[in-house]
Amino acid sequence: MERVNVVGGGLAGSEAAWTLLRMGVPVRLFEMRPKRMTPAHATDRFAEIVCSNSLGGEGETNAKGLLQAEMRLSGSLVIEAAEAARVPAGGALAVDREEFSQHITERLLAHPLLEVVREEVREIPEGITVLATGPLTSEALAEALKRRFGDHFLAYYDAASPIVLYESIDLSKCFRAGRYDQSADYLNCPMTEEEYRRFYEALVAAERHTPHEWENLQYFEACVPVEELGRRGYQTLLYGPMKPVGLKDPRTGKEPFAVVQLRQEDKAGRMWSLVGFQTGLKWPEQKRLIQMIPGLENAEIVRYGVMHRNTYLNAPRLLRETLEFKEASGLFAAGVLAGVEGYLESAATGFLAGLNAARRALGLEPVAPPEVSMLGGLVRFLATANPENFQPMNANWGLVPPVEGRGKKERRQAMYRRGLTAFAHWLSALRPPLPGVKSLQPLP
């Protein structure tokens, strides 16, 4: 059997390689460190963590908690390492960085079917391949992807607006409309002059995220952060993302003084983003400001805005829910390159890409987890999100179908149990079986 290529030794690439190896498929793992280092990394170890040491909150009411549980059932190497290197962090799964990456490196290097190639990959390799090169994909490989897939590839920059859950929006304070009576595809949150003044003053005084040196923020004029627009003058936002022109509030018949528009992010309409509100503000500041907007006082934010150096694919145009390229059978993407945010999400997509690369190597069709599982919901979002405004996504409850319940906690618990049960059944039905899968213990 020919070796499957895995390009990138981060969390996604490590999990992809481990899954392939468990399926008995030989792997050639490419990692350019230490021959060529990135501005963010300090070692040559696999799965080196360069930012936060947390893999997210645990428990039945946490979306990342469900994804952790799914990965634990799958026999994930990343979860195994996280448990071995765990450090106290309240309700989150946090790790000792050194122990975590050392555990993964030792486990991979000890496998007889693994070949490690320490060199930069400048072209897409021939044969079955998983691309997991992360947010700092080398310029040469990025150019190779552009040549292969054209303008559908988004490179070098991540300017994303916050996303809120639809169910948390107070619709009595909003109205649906497009500018100049065009299609009513947007939710509009109108502001009075006094409401705008308070929001503006809070915005320009808000505390910004201090970027790592390697992020090197050079703003494109088309995606200037909202706080930077505010600093250009009191009126700037009124001629930019908060302009009310062409939007009449049906309750007054007049244009509001200012307006914040929300745009649907997923087919089901469970997640909506704030149009033009890409931001580098710290997350507590984002939450405070968003909840000053009429209709969003109790908004549940499922993805905060970001402004940083990133390289990622326009997944809805390029990828299937199996993480295989639509136009390239046997070529898969995983991790940040595939359009996810977060360590856990990167590892989870690495698992699925590795599983499906193994299936291709064995002459089988790729598969995807059920929609009600967190991983299933995440990869379906990647494949079906709005390609015109695609932004990388992390695990959140808006990715899976809702359930009825008395309160938010009960609904989340029901979604957790439904998702984990469905994922366990999906794993157990895989043929050939995936070695190392754990049984689902009875839920209390």
Side-chain angles (χ1 to χ4, degrees), residues 46-68:
F46 301 132
E48 180 184 345
I49 291 179
V50 299
C51 294
S52 166
N53 69 330
S54 173
L55 274 68
E58 299 180 291
E60 292 189 359
T61 59
N62 195 299
K64 286 182 183 284
L66 174 54
L67 189 55
Q68 290 168 11

Side-chain angles (χ1 to χ4, degrees), residues 186-242:
Y186 292 85
L187 275 176
N188 300 275
C189 302
M191 281 185 173
T192 65
E193 184 172 2
E194 178 60 22
E195 288 169 335
Y196 174 78
R197 182 189 63 77
R198 290 198 301 267
F199 177 85
Y200 173 81
E201 290 174 352
L203 176 66
V204 296
E207 189 176 2
R208 288 179 290 179
H209 161 67
T210 302
H212 294 280
E213 291 181 5
W214 57 270
E215 289 176 338
N216 189 24
L217 298 186
Q218 299 294 326
Y219 302 128
F220 302 133
E221 198 59 30
C223 55
V224 175
V226 66
E227 63 270 18
E228 178 61 27
L229 289 175
R231 291 187 183 90
R232 294 181 180 182
Y234 183 77
Q235 298 284 330
T236 305
L237 293 168
L238 298 175
Y239 290 92
M242 298 180 72

Side-chain angles (χ1 to χ4, degrees), residues 103-178:
H103 183 104
I104 290 175
T105 302
E106 290 176 354
R107 290 281 273 158
L108 285 171
L109 292 179
H111 202 289
L113 293 180
L114 180 72
E115 174 192 350
V116 178
V117 180
R118 296 282 185 176
E119 64 181 42
E120 178 186 356
V121 174
R122 302 178 65 85
E123 297 288 342
I124 301 171
E126 296 293 328
I128 300 173
T129 297
V130 176
L131 298 176
T133 47
L136 299 177
T137 296
S138 72
E139 292 83 355
L141 183 57
E143 288 302 316
L145 283 163
K146 283 184 177 181
R147 289 193 300 272
R148 179 78 175 270
F149 299 107
D151 292 337
H152 299 322
F153 182 61
L154 302 182
Y156 305 131
Y157 203 66
D158 187 357
S161 300
I163 296 174
V164 300
L165 273 185
Y166 180 79
E167 67 182 41
S168 68
I169 301 170
D170 184 349
L171 299 176
S172 69
K173 298 183 178 180
C174 309
F175 63 93
R176 279 186 178 267

Side-chain angles (χ1 to χ4, degrees), residues 15 65-66 85 90 182 186 199 221 225 241 243 271 296 320 357 368 375 401:
E15 194 68 63
L66 174 54
Q182 294 178 354
Y186 292 85
F199 177 85
E221 198 59 30
K243 65 182 177 184
M271 293 180 286
L296 303 184
R320 303 183 190 280
L375 179 54

Side-chain angles (χ1 to χ4, degrees), residues 415-437:
M415 292 161 77
Y416 177 101
R417 294 171 179 228
R418 176 192 64 182
L420 191 56
T421 300
F423 190 81
H425 288 162
W426 174 76
L427 281 175
S428 65
L430 290 174
R431 294 293 179 271
L434 174 65
V437 168

